[in-house]
Amino acid sequence: MAVTIKDIARRAGVSYSTVSRALNGIGSENGESRKRILKIADEMGYVPNQAAIHLKLQRSYAIGLYFSTISKTTSQFVLHDVLTGVYDVAGSKYNVVVKGIDMHEPGTLNPSYFDGIICLSQRNEDEAFMEEVLDKKIPMVVICRTVMIDAPNVTTDEARAMEELTDYVIENGHRNICVIEGEPGLDSTRLRHRGWQASARKHGLDPEQIPWVEGNYRYLSGYQGAKRLMVHHPTAIICCNDEMAFGARQALADEGLSVPQDVSLVGFDNWDMSSYGNMRLTTIERNMGDLAREGTRMLLRRLKDGVVDNRRVFLENKLIIRESMRDIRNEQTGR
């Protein structure tokens, strides 16, 4: 039979309420009296009834982790990095429930299901869901995309990061460049498009003359995109994420071309792509795990300490230079 608080109270010779306060760290039972009660509880093998605690505190100890889309565009690498980041901070105290905003039926959000929600947003359309969360008084933090709502926001400057990456490509002598973009309609795609175009203008290139194709941030779209771009004989291909860059590398290999000797490749995100081979990819580090960790910290400060911190926090991106880029400044750039 499970040991109860009343059993501990009888052994300790104190009241039921005294034991309850001691076990929960409430009131004056925090000195020698509390230590003695905790020792007795441990000796007796007491295990708290978590379901009863949650009911009493009206807490679910569940965090909803909502992605813009689960059905088609959320990469396994993003899912892994974000979940790892959330659990690094939340630990085992909270259950994390993964859902897709694209699969949410408006008006059905139940405030009793979640203590808080982390929203990884990639589309303007997500804001209807965010407003529902706020209307239901559920604490929320938004990560990944800049949003103009009354909630904490953790993001990065993707346009500036892509501009810096394209600067690096052009400054290595590449002017015959092509681009494989991400999923149309996502904020990340729009911002990265703006970034490479700004860099092209800065270096005297007409961005409207730079060949580019739509992808969807997946390996196959990188492969197909590179195949389509081969007609332009690029010296460098800029891929708007790493997964597509590895797909592009395979397409180049199928054409008998190598990286970076024949064509240079760069990506974006700095994910662990070891399962696709050993190419040392030059890329932008946009650490989704760090975004998730910072967002989770802000949410837990609200849940545990009542701290309402609706700041917009920008984390830094970093250019990671590896061996997939060749310097051709002293060579003919035509093929």
Side-chain angles (χ1 to χ4, degrees):
M1 182 180 294
V3 176
T4 68
I5 290 178
K6 290 182 179 179
D7 296 330
I8 299 170
R10 279 194 294 270
R11 172 80 68 87
V14 296
S15 69
Y16 171 89
S17 59
T18 297
V19 173
S20 178
R21 287 195 300 271
L23 294 176
N24 290 286
I26 300 171
S28 61
E29 278 68 43
N30 286 314
E32 293 305 317
S33 173
R34 179 170 185 264
K35 289 179 183 177
R36 176 172 170 269
I37 291 169
L38 292 177
K39 185 173 185 244
I40 292 172
D42 184 59
E43 290 171 350
M44 295 180 70
Y46 172 72
V47 177
N49 184 332
Q50 293 297 328
I53 292 172
H54 296 173
L55 182 61
K56 186 173 182 178
L57 296 178
Q58 295 185 328
R59 299 277 296 274
S60 68
Y61 285 90
I63 291 175
L65 178 56
Y66 277 82
F67 290 79
S68 284
T69 171
I70 288 294
S71 59
K72 57 179 182 176
T73 60
T74 298
S75 163
Q76 58 181 312
F77 300 102
V78 170
L79 186 62
H80 172 270
D81 288 351
V82 171
L83 271 172
T84 300
V86 172
Y87 274 115
D88 281 349
V89 177
S92 59
K93 184 174 182 179
Y94 290 89
N95 293 315
V96 180
V97 181
V98 178
K99 289 181 173 287
I101 296 174
D102 58 326
M103 302 174 75
H104 173 71
E105 184 179 342
T108 62
L109 198 59
N110 189 329
S112 68
Y113 286 174
F114 302 115
D115 290 343
I117 285 176
I118 299 170
C119 178
L120 192 153
S121 175
Q122 295 177 291
R123 309 172 305 174
N124 290 333
E125 292 86 345
D126 297 340
E127 293 184 19
F129 170 77
M130 296 177 204
E131 292 297 339
E132 181 179 347
V133 175
L134 295 178
D135 287 345
K136 299 287 180 66
K137 311 292 187 194
I138 304 172
M140 175 178 64
V141 62
V142 181
I143 66 173
C144 189
R145 184 174 76 90
T146 301
V147 294
M148 304 302 293
I149 65 169
D150 192 24
N153 190 194
V154 186
T155 185
T156 66
D157 190 339
E158 293 183 73
R160 180 68 193 94
M162 180 55 83
E163 183 177 347
E164 182 182 4
L165 178 66
T166 309
D167 286 346
Y168 180 73
V169 173
I170 297 173
E171 288 163 3
N172 272 272
H174 296 274
R175 300 182 73 82
N176 184 14
I177 60 178
C178 292
V179 182
I180 303 176
E181 295 214 323
E183 177 78 15
L186 299 186
D187 247 31
S188 58
T189 302
R190 177 179 59 81
L191 292 169
R192 296 175 196 188
H193 178 87
R194 181 193 300 169
W196 70 256
Q197 290 213 329
S199 175
R201 292 189 192 94
K202 182 167 58 179
H203 291 279
L205 298 177
D206 181 357
E208 301 305 319
Q209 298 302 312
I210 294 177
W212 62 274
V213 295
E214 289 181 354
N216 63 8
Y217 292 124
R218 296 299 181 88
Y219 181 89
L220 181 59
S221 73
Y223 180 92
Q224 294 170 337
K227 284 280 193 179
R228 290 171 58 191
L229 292 170
M230 284 299 95
V231 67
H232 300 287
H233 304 293
T235 63
I237 299 177
I238 298 170
C239 300
C240 285
N241 81 336
D242 291 353
E243 188 170 341
M244 292 192 300
F246 278 85
R249 191 275 299 267
Q250 185 58 54
L252 293 171
D254 289 351
E255 295 289 328
L257 302 172
S258 61
V259 176
Q261 289 78 10
D262 298 309
V263 181
S264 291
L265 270 180
V266 295
F268 198 108
D269 286 324
N270 197 33
W271 296 338
D272 178 9
M273 305 295 288
S274 59
S275 61
Y276 288 125
N278 58 4
M279 178 173 65
R280 298 276 298 160
L281 182 67
T282 293
T283 186
I284 290 289
E285 183 174 71
R286 181 174 186 257
N287 195 311
M288 295 302 297
D290 285 348
L291 286 171
R293 277 182 279 274
E294 182 58 28
T296 306
R297 288 187 196 100
M298 296 179 82
L299 182 63
L300 292 188
R301 281 198 295 269
R302 170 77 179 275
L303 298 181
K304 292 161 59 176
D305 304 322
V307 176
V308 180
D309 181 4
N310 288 348
R311 291 177 300 145
R312 180 174 300 129
V313 177
F314 280 91
L315 302 186
E316 287 191 18
N317 295 304
K318 181 181 178 182
L319 176 63
I320 307 294
I321 298 173
R322 300 194 182 102
E323 291 83 20
S324 66
M325 170 58 56
R326 189 159 72 95
D327 186 342
I328 63 169
R329 279 174 287 189
N330 297 322
E331 305 173 18
Q332 281 281 346
T333 58
R335 292 176 60 90

